[in-house]
Structure formats: C-alpha cells, structure tokens
Amino acid sequence: MLPVDNDIRENILNAHGNVVISASAGTGKTYTTIQRIIKDTKDCADYKTFAAITFTRKASKEIMNRLGPNKANGFIGTNDNFILVEVIQAFMHDAFGVDFKIEIKPDFNDDNRVKNFEAGVEKIRETHLMCKYTNIRKNFAFQLALEILQRSHAARRYLKSKYYRIYIDEYQDSDVDMHAFFMFLADELLIPLFIVGDSKQSIYGWRGAYSNGFTSLFKKSSFSKYELWHNFRSNKVIQNYSNIFMESVREHYQLTEFNEEIIACKYNEDNEAVAYIKEWIDPNKKCAFLNFSNGNAEYWSEKLQIASVPFVYIPGSPLDHSSIESEHIWIARGIASYTLQQRYSEYNFMDEIPMPEAFSLSEIRKILKSIVEVQKNSELYEQNCLKLYDYLNFNEDLEKIKREVGKLVEVVNDEKYIPTYNQSRYKLTAGTIHSSKGLEFEQVIINAADYNLSREGIIFLHYVAISRPEDRLLIIGRNRIMDSYLYEVEKVIQKTRELGYKIEIENVMKVVDSRKLLKV
C-alpha cells in the first residue's frame, strides 16, 4: 500500500543526507521546501548556512518572501548567480592564475559566444565577461565552475565549510553540465542536497535540459527518495487524466465520479469550435486557452472576440527573448513593469536589485518617474533610462544597453503588451503553453493539433497543459486530428487497465461532436 501523503511529507522533513523529491503539478513542492529550510535553520547549531537556488529571479523572490526572517544569512538566488558569486568570481584566480583576479561580469548576448572551453577562458581573460557556447546544449559557466572546484582546494573547502545543505528547485530543467556540478557537490564535497523536480514537466529539452539527470537520482543509493503526487490544485478527474499519461504516476489513478469535467470536442470548421467554446465556458471563472505558438494564441483570441467571448491575447515580451539576455536586462524588464503593470512600484523595482541596500529608494523613485514622463519621446526616454543604468553601476557596455532600451521603447509604447504585464487582471486569456508553466486556472482549453503524442517530448508539454486547470478542461480538435488524439488516449487507458484498474474512456472524458450539438 502507498503511504499517505502526510506521512511522506513528515518523512521529507526529517530525512538525513541527500533528498530527492518527484513532485507532480499542484502538490505544494515550494511549501514543502520552505518548511524543510525553516526546520533545518532552527536545527543548525553552528555557523553554517544554506543555499536555495532556482532557475529564475521570480522563483527566488517567492522563496525569499515566504521565508521572511527565517532567511537569516542564507543564499537565495538563481543557479547562474550562485556559481558566479560563490565559485567563479571568488576562486577563478586560484584555479587559473593571477590574471583572473578580476571582476567577472555575466554577458549572455549572442555576439559573445564561444566554440570551446579554452576559448571561453580566454574570453574572460580579455573582456572580464562571462559567455556561452554556440552550442546551446552545453553550459560553459557550469563547466567552468566544476573545473574550478576540481582545481582549487580553497574553493572546495570554502563551500564545505559554509553550507550545511543546498536546496535546488525545478531540477528536471538542469542540463548535463549543471547536473555534473551538483553531483560533485554531493559526491565529492559531501554537501547534502535537497532536490525537487518533476520529469513530467521537463519542457526545455531543446535548450539542453537533461531530465535523465533528475531521474537518475532515484537510482543513487546516497539519496533518500520521495514522491509527492496528491494535486491540491485540481479536482480528482483532472488529476486522473494528467496521471494516466505518465508511467511514473499512472498507479495513482483513482476511480471517481465523472461530471463532464473534461470534454473532447470534434469539429470541422473553426467557427464550430468557437461556437462550442461559447456554450462551454463559464465567463465568470478564469480560463486560459493554451497554444503551442504565439501566432495560434492570437488567432484564437481574435476568433473568440468576434464571437463576443472576450479572450485577451497575452503576447510574449521582446524583453524576454533569449537573444538579448545580459546581466542588466532585469533593469529594462523592471522599467517595463513599472510603466505598464498595475501595482508595480519603485518598491518592487528595489526588490529586483541584487544589492538594494547600496541604493537610495528616493533616487530610484525620482529616476523611474522621469522615465515614464517622457515615454513618448524616444530620445529623452533613452537618456533617462541610461541615467538609471548608470546609477545602478551598469554603464560599460553602452551599445548593448542601448539595444535593450530600444526593445524597451517598443514594449512600453505598444498597447498590445499591457496584458502581458497584467495577466491577473483578465479572466479569459490566450497564450502559449510555455508561458503557463507555474500558473493555474479554473478552466483550460487546449488544441489537440498541438499534441502529436507519438513525438518525443510532446507528452511533457501535454502534461503541463492538462495539469493547469482546477475544475474543467476542454480539448478541441478537427475530426481527423481529434481521432488521432483519442487513439493515444485509448492507448494510455489500456496501460492503466493493465495495472488492474477498471477504466473506460467514459471515466475520464466526454467526446462530443460540435456539429451535431450545434444543430440541436
């Protein structure tokens, strides 16, 4: 018999050594991680501290806010910032010589990429800037951090003496080089790791994510293994549907009453699908129409608006495009939020600053207001933006900063990006599957055409989409496409039967033909 969820969480809080947790969507993994950090902080009787590292500033900020005073002197930040501050900046000179006793700044623009490791090291010597490989599946920064640890006794001793545990979230999105670095911490430095992830939500394989690294931890004898599978967000029917597609959690299928929480709607013409959506949707509840591409999201939002179903298109911001990533892109993003986002103030901007105590809130407020006042004058706007960059001590790579500000001008002066920065204001939205990760909605619509489930990796995108809704899921698809989709559904139902469950398609979804219904 599987242990009840509360027993599992209690065991997680008290486990010694390395811990790895497979946490399905909606299982409260962040809450569990926070509780473990608080417990460990209270139990720590010496000078050591912890590091909680994530993939995004947003996730880091959430952890920081939830911890509050329990943060103490722990490190909370992104993976890249952790290795830059704690390993590369601090010990590169010890590993590679006195030429590298310099301030090293990250710079991830496409024009600063290298082909091999030696070229990357030389690039740092010449420019004092970090870089990336031309091959996006390889991670120069983490290769460098591991090389430094292997060469520098001082670096190894520093990390071992400072950290009693390192907490790593969304581990399924780690690449091969990140995995190698973290395993060195665990296996060689014997720093206990607390790793949380979900291989079912690994949707970044195209840029080198290595979900096998996460799943391999469940075979390592040095790790205590746990699984969180109870989805507190979605109802039982939604849980069942998302679980049966994934072998790792298929055994958690639970026969429950079906009340048409999931509909598969076949149609011939797009207008038929629009008419059915209009009948199906509850406009008083939040609904997301999740698409594979921005183009499709915009198309369906326009079709639905014409039919008086006010779906708002949520376009991706040019400021979030990987081609302009840099160490200071957060400034442009912060200015955009200050300009376009309701309830975003100078206090929120201060939260984005890596070392906010070094700057004056009143001065930040003054400069931000001056930027907004000249929003329509591109020349003055650029000048005032550059004042903020300069005040925050980012003034060396002026050409790149101006490129960012150019994108910023494009964003703040185009009304279509207002929804992008204010998604919570709208009940009905149409965006991409990637943009939905980590969000939740009462209702979700997806298009079967986006999911050829026989293609490698698509099943993970599918899982992310169908595990978003709390209450209802609608799947639309043209006749032949829906038939192919339903064929895949029948295959996973058969696999669920083989585990001993009495399950038919009627237990998980209702299949309807929009043409017949609309004629009635």
Side-chain angles (χ1 to χ4, degrees):
M1 175 182 283
L2 293 166
V4 297
D5 204 49
N6 287 340
D7 289 345
I8 295 172
R9 292 175 195 273
E10 186 67 24
N11 292 338
I12 289 172
L13 290 180
N14 293 292
H16 297 289
N18 297 307
V19 174
V20 58
I21 305 168
S22 176
S24 296
T27 55
K29 64 182 179 65
T30 303
Y31 173 81
T32 302
T33 301
I34 295 298
Q35 293 302 111
R36 179 63 199 246
I37 293 175
I38 292 173
K39 182 180 184 301
D40 286 348
T41 302
K42 291 178 178 178
D43 291 346
C44 182
D46 57 25
Y47 56 86
K48 288 188 176 184
T49 188
F50 70 91
I53 54 182
T54 67
F55 276 84
T56 65
R57 288 175 181 269
K58 180 181 178 182
S60 299
K61 184 178 177 182
E62 181 183 1
I63 290 175
M64 193 175 302
N65 289 341
R66 289 208 198 183
L67 280 174
N70 294 293
K71 174 185 177 294
N73 61 340
F75 178 99
I76 301 176
T78 64
N79 296 309
D80 288 334
N81 195 38
F82 177 77
I83 61 168
L84 179 64
V85 172
E86 294 292 79
V87 181
I88 298 172
Q89 180 67 69
F91 296 102
M92 189 167 182
H93 68 279
D94 192 51
F96 288 89
V98 293
D99 286 355
F100 296 92
K101 200 161 190 177
I102 53 177
E103 182 181 4
I104 301 171
K105 293 185 176 182
D107 185 6
F108 298 139
N109 281 284
D110 283 345
D111 58 359
N112 193 30
R113 293 180 178 265
V114 294
K115 291 185 177 180
N116 56 56
F117 185 83
E118 292 72 21
V121 173
E122 187 58 31
K123 191 87 169 180
I124 293 174
R125 186 198 305 272
E126 293 174 355
T127 66
H128 299 188
L129 296 174
M130 281 294 296
C131 51
K132 282 187 174 181
Y133 284 131
T134 52
N135 183 348
I136 62 173
R137 292 181 176 273
K138 294 184 177 181
N139 192 323
F140 171 72
F142 272 85
Q143 285 185 9
L144 177 60
L146 179 56
E147 183 70 17
I148 290 171
L149 285 185
Q150 291 171 334
R151 292 190 184 196
S152 172
H153 174 71
R156 297 192 299 272
R157 185 174 59 185
Y158 169 77
L159 291 182
K160 287 177 66 175
S161 63
K162 182 173 182 178
Y163 293 111
Y164 61 73
R165 188 177 299 276
I166 295 177
Y167 306 81
I168 310 167
D169 194 14
E170 302 286 3
Y171 198 87
Q172 77 280 350
D173 290 332
S174 297
D175 57 40
V176 171
D177 297 309
M178 296 171 73
H179 179 63
F181 174 84
F182 292 131
M183 289 306 98
F184 186 87
L185 298 185
D187 297 338
E188 302 299 327
L189 302 190
L190 303 179
I191 300 173
L193 303 183
F194 186 94
I195 289 175
V196 183
D198 183 6
S199 59
K200 304 184 295 301
Q201 298 193 67
S202 180
I203 62 177
Y204 299 114
W206 55 273
R207 63 142 172 80
Y210 177 60
S211 63
N212 286 347
F214 175 65
T215 56
S216 71
L217 299 179
F218 289 84
K219 300 176 183 177
K220 285 179 72 76
S221 59
S222 57
F223 275 78
S224 298
K225 299 97 178 172
Y226 300 95
E227 179 188 12
L228 295 178
W229 58 270
H230 185 83
N231 183 343
F232 294 100
R233 175 175 64 216
S234 304
N235 60 42
K236 283 264 176 41
V237 174
I238 300 292
Q239 289 180 49
N240 279 338
Y241 192 63
S242 56
N243 285 346
I244 63 174
F245 281 90
M246 293 295 178
E247 184 178 356
S248 61
V249 290
R250 192 172 290 141
E251 62 181 332
H252 298 309
Y253 174 83
Q254 295 178 321
L255 189 61
T256 189
E257 185 178 356
F258 178 74
N259 292 307
E260 300 188 4
E261 291 91 344
I262 301 175
I263 301 288
C265 174
K266 302 169 74 170
Y267 66 92
N268 190 45
E269 300 292 337
D270 289 351
N271 286 336
E272 296 169 1
V274 169
Y276 186 80
I277 290 171
K278 189 172 183 178
E279 292 294 319
W280 172 85
I281 199 167
D282 182 344
N284 296 313
K285 294 183 177 181
K286 292 194 73 169
C287 181
F289 194 150
L290 304 180
N291 295 265
F292 195 81
S293 68
N294 279 300
N296 284 346
E298 185 172 21
Y299 170 79
W300 283 105
S301 66
E302 289 176 353
K303 295 282 289 185
L304 287 158
Q305 286 171 16
I306 291 171
S308 300
V309 188
F311 268 81
V312 177
Y313 170 50
I314 308 293
S317 169
L319 293 172
D320 293 330
H321 198 280
S322 61
S323 66
I324 63 168
E325 281 297 323
S326 70
E327 65 164 331
H328 39 61
I329 185 61
W330 62 269
I331 300 177
R333 290 170 180 161
I335 296 172
S337 296
Y338 183 81
T339 307
L340 301 177
Q341 184 177 325
Q342 286 190 343
R343 298 181 180 178
Y344 187 99
S345 69
E346 59 270 21
Y347 295 98
N348 300 105
F349 187 90
M350 287 290 287
D351 287 340
E352 303 286 346
I353 301 175
M355 297 180 64
E357 63 277 359
F359 303 96
S360 163
L361 174 63
S362 60
E363 186 64 21
I364 293 290
R365 180 190 296 117
K366 176 183 174 183
I367 300 174
L368 285 172
K369 286 185 175 180
S370 74
I371 291 170
V372 174
E373 287 170 358
V374 294
Q375 182 176 328
K376 300 296 183 181
N377 186 323
S378 59
E379 184 176 346
L380 287 176
Y381 190 84
E382 179 182 285
Q383 291 177 12
N384 288 353
C385 286
L386 292 179
K387 288 179 184 177
L388 182 57
Y389 277 84
D390 185 63
Y391 179 66
L392 295 169
N393 297 322
F394 292 100
N395 48 25
E396 295 180 2
D397 47 353
L398 189 59
E399 181 181 339
K400 293 170 185 174
I401 290 173
K402 286 185 175 181
R403 188 162 59 199
E404 290 174 12
V405 173
K407 291 290 185 184
L408 174 62
V409 171
E410 175 188 340
V411 169
V412 299
N413 288 302
D414 191 333
E415 291 186 355
K416 77 176 183 180
Y417 293 113
I418 292 176
T420 303
Y421 291 86
N422 297 276
Q423 291 194 45
S424 61
R425 288 174 53 189
Y426 308 100
K427 285 191 178 294
L428 311 180
T429 59
T432 65
I433 305 158
H434 286 85
S435 67
S436 75
K437 192 175 178 190
L439 302 178
E440 53 194 60
F441 313 90
E442 291 161 293
Q443 309 168 103
V444 165
I445 304 170
I446 65 172
N447 197 324
D450 288 334
Y451 304 101
N452 179 354
L453 295 173
S454 61
R455 282 181 55 198
E456 183 180 0
I458 294 298
I459 195 168
F460 300 115
L461 278 170
H462 181 254
Y463 176 84
V464 169
I466 65 176
S467 62
R468 292 309 97 189
E470 296 175 2
D471 302 323
R472 308 169 76 212
L473 172 66
L474 174 63
I475 306 154
I476 64 170
R478 290 180 179 269
N479 294 317
R480 289 186 178 180
I481 291 173
M482 182 60 83
D483 287 341
S484 297
Y485 180 86
L486 294 175
Y487 173 73
E488 297 296 330
V489 174
E490 289 285 5
K491 283 168 63 175
V492 297
I493 285 176
Q494 177 57 36
K495 291 177 180 177
T496 309
R497 288 195 199 104
E498 291 169 2
L499 294 175
Y501 297 102
K502 294 180 179 180
I503 174 176
E504 301 294 337
I505 195 166
E506 293 81 9
N507 301 127
V508 295
M509 65 163 50
K510 179 179 180 180
V511 181
V512 302
D513 188 321
S514 65
R515 294 171 300 173
K516 295 177 182 178
L517 289 173
L518 293 171
K519 286 177 182 177
V520 173

